[in-house]
Amino acid sequence: MDHGRKTKGILSGSGALLACVLLVAGAGAVPAQASVAAVNCGDTLTADAALTTDLLCVDSGLTIATDGVTLDLGGHVLAGNGLTVRASNVTVKNGMIMGTGAEAVTVQPATADGTAAATLSDVQVTTGATRVRNATLTVSGSNPALCLLTGLTVVASTATVEQCVVHGEVSVQDSPGITVASSTLTDGKLTTAGSGGVYNGTVFDNFPVTVAADSGEDVFQDNLFRNTDTALEVRGGKKTTFDGNVFMNNSVGLLSTGGFGLTTVKNNVFHSNRTVGLLVNQNLAGLNPDPVSGNVFYANGTSPRKLTDLGGNTVRGGLHLFTGAVTQPTLTVTGNIGLANGGFLIWARPGSVVDGGGNRGPCGPKPKSGLTCA
Protein backbone atom coordinates (compact mmCIF):
# COMPACT_ATOMS: atom_id res chain seq x y z
CA MET A 1 0.00 0.00 0.00
CA ASP A 2 1.20 3.46 -0.83
CA HIS A 3 0.78 5.16 2.54
CA GLY A 4 1.98 8.50 1.12
CA ARG A 5 -0.66 8.51 -1.57
CA LYS A 6 -3.37 7.61 0.96
CA THR A 7 -2.28 10.31 3.38
CA LYS A 8 -2.21 12.83 0.52
CA GLY A 9 -5.73 11.82 -0.47
CA ILE A 10 -7.02 12.17 3.08
CA LEU A 11 -5.43 15.58 3.42
CA SER A 12 -6.81 16.58 0.05
CA GLY A 13 -10.31 15.45 1.03
CA SER A 14 -10.06 17.20 4.39
CA GLY A 15 -9.07 20.43 2.67
CA ALA A 16 -12.06 20.24 0.39
CA LEU A 17 -14.33 19.54 3.32
CA LEU A 18 -12.89 22.45 5.30
CA ALA A 19 -13.34 24.78 2.34
CA CYS A 20 -16.91 23.64 1.98
CA VAL A 21 -17.62 24.21 5.68
CA LEU A 22 -16.09 27.67 5.54
CA LEU A 23 -18.09 28.49 2.41
CA VAL A 24 -21.37 27.43 4.00
CA ALA A 25 -20.55 29.28 7.21
CA GLY A 26 -19.71 32.41 5.24
CA ALA A 27 -22.92 32.20 3.23
CA GLY A 28 -25.01 32.00 6.38
CA ALA A 29 -23.30 34.82 8.21
CA VAL A 30 -25.48 37.86 9.05
CA PRO A 31 -23.84 41.29 9.06
CA ALA A 32 -23.78 42.96 12.45
CA GLN A 33 -26.76 45.28 12.90
CA ALA A 34 -26.31 48.82 14.12
CA SER A 35 -27.57 49.01 17.67
CA VAL A 36 -30.49 51.23 18.50
CA ALA A 37 -30.05 53.04 21.77
CA ALA A 38 -32.85 52.71 24.28
CA VAL A 39 -35.03 55.80 24.55
CA ASN A 40 -35.86 56.88 28.07
CA CYS A 41 -37.96 59.66 29.51
CA GLY A 42 -35.99 62.86 29.93
CA ASP A 43 -33.54 62.00 27.13
CA THR A 44 -32.14 64.64 24.81
CA LEU A 45 -31.71 62.83 21.50
CA THR A 46 -28.55 63.54 19.51
CA ALA A 47 -28.85 60.72 16.97
CA ASP A 48 -31.58 58.75 15.21
CA ALA A 49 -33.68 56.77 17.66
CA ALA A 50 -36.68 54.46 17.71
CA LEU A 51 -39.20 53.43 20.30
CA THR A 52 -39.42 49.67 20.84
CA THR A 53 -42.32 49.94 23.29
CA ASP A 54 -44.81 52.52 24.56
CA LEU A 55 -43.17 55.21 26.68
CA LEU A 56 -44.97 57.01 29.52
CA CYS A 57 -43.10 60.08 30.74
CA VAL A 58 -44.54 61.45 33.96
CA ASP A 59 -41.90 64.07 34.76
CA SER A 60 -39.87 64.84 31.62
CA GLY A 61 -40.58 64.01 28.00
CA LEU A 62 -38.17 63.81 25.09
CA THR A 63 -36.11 66.64 23.62
CA ILE A 64 -34.44 66.75 20.22
CA ALA A 65 -31.69 69.36 20.14
CA THR A 66 -29.48 68.10 17.28
CA ASP A 67 -30.12 68.85 13.61
CA GLY A 68 -31.08 65.97 11.32
CA VAL A 69 -32.38 63.56 13.94
CA THR A 70 -35.18 61.12 13.09
CA LEU A 71 -37.36 59.68 15.85
CA ASP A 72 -39.31 56.62 14.71
CA LEU A 73 -42.13 55.94 17.11
CA GLY A 74 -42.47 52.50 15.58
CA GLY A 75 -46.23 52.38 15.99
CA HIS A 76 -45.90 53.01 19.73
CA VAL A 77 -47.23 55.71 22.05
CA LEU A 78 -45.21 58.53 23.58
CA ALA A 79 -47.34 59.68 26.50
CA GLY A 80 -46.96 62.22 29.26
CA ASN A 81 -44.93 65.39 28.87
CA GLY A 82 -44.53 64.83 25.16
CA LEU A 83 -41.88 66.11 22.78
CA THR A 84 -39.83 69.29 22.40
CA VAL A 85 -37.91 70.05 19.21
CA ARG A 86 -35.14 72.67 19.34
CA ALA A 87 -33.25 71.77 16.16
CA SER A 88 -33.70 71.76 12.38
CA ASN A 89 -34.39 69.01 9.84
CA VAL A 90 -36.00 66.85 12.51
CA THR A 91 -38.44 64.07 11.57
CA VAL A 92 -40.87 62.31 13.88
CA LYS A 93 -42.87 59.49 12.32
CA ASN A 94 -45.15 56.49 12.68
CA GLY A 95 -46.87 56.62 16.03
CA MET A 96 -48.95 58.41 18.62
CA ILE A 97 -48.23 61.24 21.06
CA MET A 98 -50.51 61.76 24.06
CA GLY A 99 -49.78 64.88 26.06
CA THR A 100 -50.94 65.22 29.64
CA GLY A 101 -50.42 69.00 29.67
CA ALA A 102 -51.66 71.82 27.47
CA GLU A 103 -48.99 71.09 24.84
CA ALA A 104 -47.94 67.69 23.54
CA VAL A 105 -45.48 68.86 20.86
CA THR A 106 -43.42 72.08 20.93
CA VAL A 107 -41.18 73.28 18.10
CA GLN A 108 -39.10 76.31 19.04
CA PRO A 109 -35.43 77.32 18.70
CA ALA A 110 -33.22 76.91 21.74
CA THR A 111 -31.98 80.51 21.42
CA ALA A 112 -33.39 83.75 20.07
CA ASP A 113 -31.13 83.58 16.99
CA GLY A 114 -31.45 79.82 16.50
CA THR A 115 -33.59 77.80 14.11
CA ALA A 116 -35.95 74.89 14.48
CA ALA A 117 -37.82 72.84 11.90
CA ALA A 118 -39.72 69.59 12.29
CA THR A 119 -41.78 67.20 10.18
CA LEU A 120 -44.46 65.03 11.75
CA SER A 121 -45.25 62.18 9.36
CA ASP A 122 -48.06 59.72 10.10
CA VAL A 123 -48.23 60.91 13.70
CA GLN A 124 -51.42 61.17 15.73
CA VAL A 125 -51.32 63.78 18.50
CA THR A 126 -54.42 62.64 20.36
CA THR A 127 -54.32 64.89 23.44
CA GLY A 128 -52.53 68.17 23.97
CA ALA A 129 -51.87 70.85 21.39
CA THR A 130 -48.99 71.27 18.96
CA ARG A 131 -47.21 74.61 19.22
CA VAL A 132 -44.66 76.12 16.84
CA ARG A 133 -42.97 79.45 17.52
CA ASN A 134 -40.29 81.15 15.38
CA ALA A 135 -39.84 77.87 13.54
CA THR A 136 -41.08 75.66 10.70
CA LEU A 137 -43.51 72.77 11.01
CA THR A 138 -44.75 70.28 8.42
CA VAL A 139 -47.51 67.84 9.37
CA SER A 140 -48.68 65.22 6.89
CA GLY A 141 -50.18 61.79 6.56
CA SER A 142 -49.80 59.14 3.90
CA ASN A 143 -53.59 59.12 4.32
CA PRO A 144 -55.70 61.35 6.61
CA ALA A 145 -56.45 58.49 9.03
CA LEU A 146 -52.77 58.39 10.02
CA CYS A 147 -52.40 62.08 10.81
CA LEU A 148 -54.13 63.83 13.71
CA LEU A 149 -53.64 67.09 15.58
CA THR A 150 -55.58 68.12 18.66
CA GLY A 151 -55.13 71.88 18.61
CA LEU A 152 -52.44 73.88 16.81
CA THR A 153 -50.82 77.22 17.67
CA VAL A 154 -48.56 78.87 15.10
CA VAL A 155 -46.70 82.04 16.12
CA ALA A 156 -44.26 83.87 13.82
CA SER A 157 -43.66 80.64 11.93
CA THR A 158 -44.22 78.73 8.73
CA ALA A 159 -46.51 75.72 8.87
CA THR A 160 -47.95 73.18 6.43
CA VAL A 161 -50.74 70.74 7.26
CA GLU A 162 -51.60 68.23 4.54
CA GLN A 163 -53.80 65.15 4.54
CA CYS A 164 -54.50 65.43 8.23
CA VAL A 165 -57.42 65.55 10.66
CA VAL A 166 -57.44 68.47 13.11
CA HIS A 167 -59.63 68.87 16.18
CA GLY A 168 -59.80 71.75 18.64
CA GLU A 169 -58.57 75.32 18.38
CA VAL A 170 -56.18 76.46 15.67
CA SER A 171 -54.55 79.86 16.19
CA VAL A 172 -52.31 81.46 13.56
CA GLN A 173 -50.52 84.64 14.62
CA ASP A 174 -48.03 86.78 12.70
CA SER A 175 -47.29 83.88 10.35
CA PRO A 176 -47.44 84.70 6.63
CA GLY A 177 -46.57 81.22 5.37
CA ILE A 178 -49.44 78.91 6.29
CA THR A 179 -50.78 76.11 4.10
CA VAL A 180 -53.64 73.77 4.97
CA ALA A 181 -54.51 71.33 2.18
CA SER A 182 -56.57 68.18 1.67
CA SER A 183 -57.40 67.97 5.37
CA THR A 184 -60.44 67.78 7.64
CA LEU A 185 -60.90 70.25 10.49
CA THR A 186 -63.68 69.27 12.90
CA ASP A 187 -65.19 70.49 16.15
CA GLY A 188 -63.01 73.51 16.81
CA LYS A 189 -62.22 76.93 15.36
CA LEU A 190 -59.57 78.74 13.35
CA THR A 191 -58.43 82.29 14.05
CA THR A 192 -55.86 83.98 11.85
CA ALA A 193 -54.32 87.34 12.83
CA GLY A 194 -51.39 89.20 11.34
CA SER A 195 -50.94 86.29 8.98
CA GLY A 196 -51.59 85.11 5.46
CA GLY A 197 -52.26 81.58 4.34
CA VAL A 198 -53.56 79.25 1.66
CA TYR A 199 -56.41 76.90 2.58
CA ASN A 200 -57.20 74.45 -0.19
CA GLY A 201 -59.31 71.34 -0.61
CA THR A 202 -60.16 71.14 3.08
CA VAL A 203 -63.35 70.37 4.99
CA PHE A 204 -64.24 72.73 7.85
CA ASP A 205 -66.92 70.79 9.74
CA ASN A 206 -68.33 72.64 12.77
CA PHE A 207 -65.12 74.63 12.56
CA PRO A 208 -65.82 78.39 12.25
CA VAL A 209 -63.07 80.59 10.82
CA THR A 210 -62.26 84.20 11.77
CA VAL A 211 -59.97 86.38 9.67
CA ALA A 212 -58.88 89.21 11.96
CA ALA A 213 -58.64 92.86 10.94
CA ASP A 214 -54.83 92.76 10.80
CA SER A 215 -54.56 89.55 8.84
CA GLY A 216 -52.54 89.21 5.66
CA GLU A 217 -53.46 87.88 2.25
CA ASP A 218 -55.51 84.75 2.90
CA VAL A 219 -56.74 82.52 0.07
CA PHE A 220 -59.58 80.03 0.60
CA GLN A 221 -60.06 77.82 -2.45
CA ASP A 222 -62.09 74.66 -3.09
CA ASN A 223 -62.99 74.12 0.56
CA LEU A 224 -66.22 72.96 2.23
CA PHE A 225 -67.55 74.95 5.21
CA ARG A 226 -70.49 73.30 6.95
CA ASN A 227 -72.51 72.65 10.11
CA THR A 228 -71.84 75.71 12.25
CA ASP A 229 -73.40 79.10 13.07
CA THR A 230 -71.24 81.53 11.07
CA ALA A 231 -68.88 79.48 8.94
CA LEU A 232 -66.41 82.25 8.14
CA GLU A 233 -66.13 85.86 9.29
CA VAL A 234 -63.85 88.45 7.67
CA ARG A 235 -63.10 91.35 9.99
CA GLY A 236 -60.54 92.96 7.73
CA GLY A 237 -57.14 92.10 6.34
CA LYS A 238 -54.97 93.12 3.42
CA LYS A 239 -56.81 90.98 0.90
CA THR A 240 -58.92 87.86 1.27
CA THR A 241 -59.94 85.64 -1.64
CA PHE A 242 -62.75 83.07 -1.72
CA ASP A 243 -62.83 81.03 -4.90
CA GLY A 244 -64.65 77.77 -5.59
CA ASN A 245 -65.74 77.03 -2.02
CA VAL A 246 -68.99 75.49 -0.78
CA PHE A 247 -70.77 77.00 2.24
CA MET A 248 -73.45 74.55 3.33
CA ASN A 249 -75.81 73.93 6.26
CA ASN A 250 -74.68 76.87 8.38
CA SER A 251 -76.77 79.70 9.74
CA VAL A 252 -74.59 82.29 7.97
CA GLY A 253 -72.22 81.08 5.27
CA LEU A 254 -69.81 84.00 4.85
CA LEU A 255 -69.90 87.21 6.91
CA SER A 256 -67.89 90.38 6.35
CA THR A 257 -67.85 92.92 9.15
CA GLY A 258 -64.88 94.90 7.86
CA GLY A 259 -62.47 95.15 4.96
CA PHE A 260 -64.80 93.83 2.29
CA GLY A 261 -63.33 96.37 -0.11
CA LEU A 262 -60.32 94.07 -0.30
CA THR A 263 -62.23 90.81 -0.56
CA THR A 264 -62.81 88.71 -3.66
CA VAL A 265 -65.80 86.34 -3.69
CA LYS A 266 -66.19 84.36 -6.90
CA ASN A 267 -67.40 80.99 -8.14
CA ASN A 268 -68.61 79.79 -4.73
CA VAL A 269 -71.73 77.80 -3.87
CA PHE A 270 -73.90 78.90 -0.93
CA HIS A 271 -76.28 76.03 -0.24
CA SER A 272 -78.93 75.65 2.50
CA ASN A 273 -77.52 78.21 4.91
CA ARG A 274 -80.47 78.76 7.22
CA THR A 275 -80.33 82.57 7.49
CA VAL A 276 -78.18 83.92 4.65
CA GLY A 277 -75.49 82.76 2.26
CA LEU A 278 -73.29 85.87 2.16
CA LEU A 279 -73.73 88.86 4.48
CA VAL A 280 -71.76 92.09 4.13
CA ASN A 281 -72.57 94.09 7.24
CA GLN A 282 -70.30 97.09 7.69
CA ASN A 283 -70.26 100.87 7.50
CA LEU A 284 -68.27 102.93 5.01
CA ALA A 285 -67.04 100.04 2.91
CA GLY A 286 -64.18 100.91 0.62
CA LEU A 287 -64.46 100.57 -3.13
CA ASN A 288 -63.97 96.95 -4.12
CA PRO A 289 -62.33 96.55 -7.55
CA ASP A 290 -63.24 92.85 -7.67
CA PRO A 291 -66.93 92.05 -8.20
CA VAL A 292 -68.92 89.50 -6.29
CA SER A 293 -69.31 87.23 -9.28
CA GLY A 294 -70.25 83.81 -10.55
CA ASN A 295 -71.64 82.54 -7.26
CA VAL A 296 -74.61 80.21 -6.85
CA PHE A 297 -77.08 80.76 -4.00
CA TYR A 298 -79.45 77.85 -3.46
CA ALA A 299 -82.06 77.38 -0.70
CA ASN A 300 -80.58 79.92 1.71
CA GLY A 301 -82.72 81.75 4.29
CA THR A 302 -85.37 79.05 4.54
CA SER A 303 -85.31 78.85 8.37
CA PRO A 304 -83.66 82.09 9.50
CA ARG A 305 -82.78 83.15 13.00
CA LYS A 306 -83.64 86.72 13.96
CA LEU A 307 -80.85 88.80 12.46
CA THR A 308 -80.68 92.44 11.35
CA ASP A 309 -77.91 94.41 9.70
CA LEU A 310 -76.37 97.63 11.07
CA GLY A 311 -79.20 99.59 9.48
CA GLY A 312 -81.88 97.53 11.20
CA ASN A 313 -82.90 95.64 8.06
CA THR A 314 -83.92 91.99 8.32
CA VAL A 315 -81.30 89.63 6.96
CA ARG A 316 -82.51 86.64 4.97
CA GLY A 317 -81.79 85.05 1.62
CA GLY A 318 -78.83 84.63 -0.70
CA LEU A 319 -76.66 87.75 -0.69
CA HIS A 320 -77.33 90.66 1.72
CA LEU A 321 -75.21 93.77 1.22
CA PHE A 322 -75.25 96.62 3.74
CA THR A 323 -72.36 99.03 3.33
CA GLY A 324 -73.41 102.00 5.43
CA ALA A 325 -76.12 104.57 5.85
CA VAL A 326 -74.53 106.87 3.27
CA THR A 327 -75.37 105.67 -0.22
CA GLN A 328 -72.25 105.00 -2.22
CA PRO A 329 -71.71 102.41 -4.97
CA THR A 330 -68.85 100.42 -3.48
CA LEU A 331 -69.51 96.86 -4.64
CA THR A 332 -70.12 95.30 -8.02
CA VAL A 333 -72.26 92.18 -8.36
CA THR A 334 -72.04 90.18 -11.56
CA GLY A 335 -73.35 86.87 -12.86
CA ASN A 336 -74.70 85.46 -9.60
CA ILE A 337 -77.48 82.87 -9.72
CA GLY A 338 -80.17 82.27 -7.10
CA LEU A 339 -82.77 79.55 -6.74
CA ALA A 340 -85.23 78.63 -3.97
CA ASN A 341 -83.85 81.12 -1.47
CA GLY A 342 -86.09 82.21 1.40
CA GLY A 343 -85.52 85.88 0.58
CA PHE A 344 -83.95 87.80 -2.27
CA LEU A 345 -81.06 86.50 -4.27
CA ILE A 346 -79.46 89.92 -3.69
CA TRP A 347 -80.59 92.50 -1.15
CA ALA A 348 -78.89 95.90 -1.41
CA ARG A 349 -79.90 99.46 -0.64
CA PRO A 350 -80.57 101.54 -3.78
CA GLY A 351 -77.39 103.15 -5.02
CA SER A 352 -75.07 101.09 -2.82
CA VAL A 353 -73.93 98.58 -5.42
CA VAL A 354 -72.97 98.52 -9.09
CA ASP A 355 -74.99 96.19 -11.28
CA GLY A 356 -72.48 94.26 -13.35
CA GLY A 357 -75.27 92.35 -15.12
CA GLY A 358 -76.05 88.69 -15.45
CA ASN A 359 -77.60 88.22 -12.01
CA ARG A 360 -80.51 85.74 -12.08
CA GLY A 361 -82.95 85.65 -9.19
CA PRO A 362 -85.09 88.25 -7.39
CA CYS A 363 -83.34 91.38 -6.14
CA GLY A 364 -84.57 93.81 -3.50
CA PRO A 365 -85.70 95.71 -1.65
CA LYS A 366 -88.60 96.64 -3.82
CA PRO A 367 -89.54 98.83 -5.64
CA LYS A 368 -85.98 99.99 -6.41
CA SER A 369 -82.87 98.09 -5.47
CA GLY A 370 -80.66 99.56 -8.13
CA LEU A 371 -80.22 96.09 -9.58
CA THR A 372 -81.72 94.32 -12.52
CA CYS A 373 -82.07 90.59 -11.94
CA ALA A 374 -83.46 88.27 -14.58
Side-chain angles (χ1 to χ4, degrees):
M1 176 180 291
D2 189 342
H3 292 285
R5 180 177 295 178
K6 182 177 180 181
T7 303
K8 184 177 180 181
I10 293 173
L11 291 175
S12 177
S14 299
L17 178 62
L18 178 61
C20 183
V21 169
L22 291 175
L23 180 62
V24 171
V30 178
Q33 298 293 318
S35 61
V36 177
V39 178
N40 298 303
C41 295
D43 282 355
T44 296
L45 305 181
T46 58
D48 292 351
L51 294 190
T52 57
T53 186
D54 294 346
L55 190 63
L56 173 60
C57 298
V58 177
D59 296 322
S60 299
L62 301 179
T63 299
I64 300 176
T66 300
D67 292 352
V69 166
T70 294
L71 172 60
D72 189 348
L73 299 175
H76 298 292
V77 179
L78 171 61
N81 279 338
L83 176 68
T84 300
V85 176
R86 299 192 180 280
S88 293
N89 195 27
V90 170
T91 299
V92 182
K93 62 182 183 179
N94 303 331
M96 183 180 297
I97 299 176
M98 301 174 62
T100 54
E103 295 173 3
V105 178
T106 301
V107 183
Q108 184 172 349
T111 61
D113 59 350
T115 60
T119 296
L120 305 184
S121 178
D122 289 347
V123 172
Q124 302 95 50
V125 184
T126 60
T127 55
T130 299
R131 179 181 177 88
V132 53
R133 187 181 187 94
N134 298 317
T136 299
L137 174 67
T138 300
V139 184
S140 65
S142 54
N143 68 68
L146 296 177
C147 180
L148 172 66
L149 296 179
T150 306
L152 174 64
T153 299
V154 182
V155 181
S157 298
T158 299
T160 299
V161 178
E162 188 169 5
Q163 286 206 133
C164 199
V165 174
V166 182
H167 301 308
E169 183 172 351
V170 177
S171 176
V172 182
Q173 306 168 31
D174 302 321
S175 300
I178 304 300
T179 300
V180 179
S182 304
S183 296
T184 300
L185 281 60
T186 64
D187 301 325
K189 65 179 180 179
L190 165 64
T191 303
T192 172
S195 305
V198 176
Y199 304 85
N200 178 263
T202 291
V203 176
F204 295 80
D205 191 352
N206 189 29
F207 210 96
V209 178
T210 301
V211 179
D214 61 345
S215 194
E217 296 188 7
D218 289 298
V219 177
F220 295 88
Q221 188 172 34
D222 299 329
N223 305 290
L224 171 60
F225 300 88
R226 66 186 182 191
N227 300 332
T228 189
D229 183 33
T230 297
L232 200 152
E233 179 180 357
V234 179
R235 296 179 178 175
K238 293 181 180 179
K239 181 174 176 62
T240 308
T241 299
F242 300 96
D243 185 358
N245 304 284
V246 176
F247 297 83
M248 182 176 180
N249 293 336
N250 308 288
S251 180
V252 177
L254 175 59
L255 167 65
S256 176
T257 55
F260 196 78
L262 295 174
T263 300
T264 298
V265 182
K266 62 181 181 180
N267 306 323
N268 303 281
V269 174
F270 297 85
H271 182 3
S272 299
N273 298 288
R274 295 181 296 280
T275 302
V276 67
L278 168 59
L279 170 60
V280 178
N281 190 24
Q282 61 190 71
N283 285 310
L284 300 175
L287 179 64
N288 191 337
D290 296 321
V292 178
S293 63
N295 302 287
V296 175
F297 296 86
Y298 177 77
N300 300 283
T302 58
S303 55
R305 60 182 168 90
K306 186 176 181 181
L307 180 63
T308 57
D309 62 25
L310 293 174
N313 305 288
T314 298
V315 174
R316 181 183 184 184
L319 170 58
H320 187 103
L321 303 173
F322 182 85
T323 55
V326 178
T327 300
Q328 52 179 344
T330 57
L331 303 175
T332 300
V333 287
T334 304
N336 300 286
I337 299 172
L339 180 67
N341 294 292
F344 296 108
L345 161 62
I346 304 173
W347 185 99
R349 295 177 66 250
S352 65
V353 297
V354 176
D355 187 352
N359 299 296
R360 290 186 287 164
C363 296
K366 296 180 178 180
K368 293 188 299 183
S369 67
L371 292 168
T372 300
C373 294

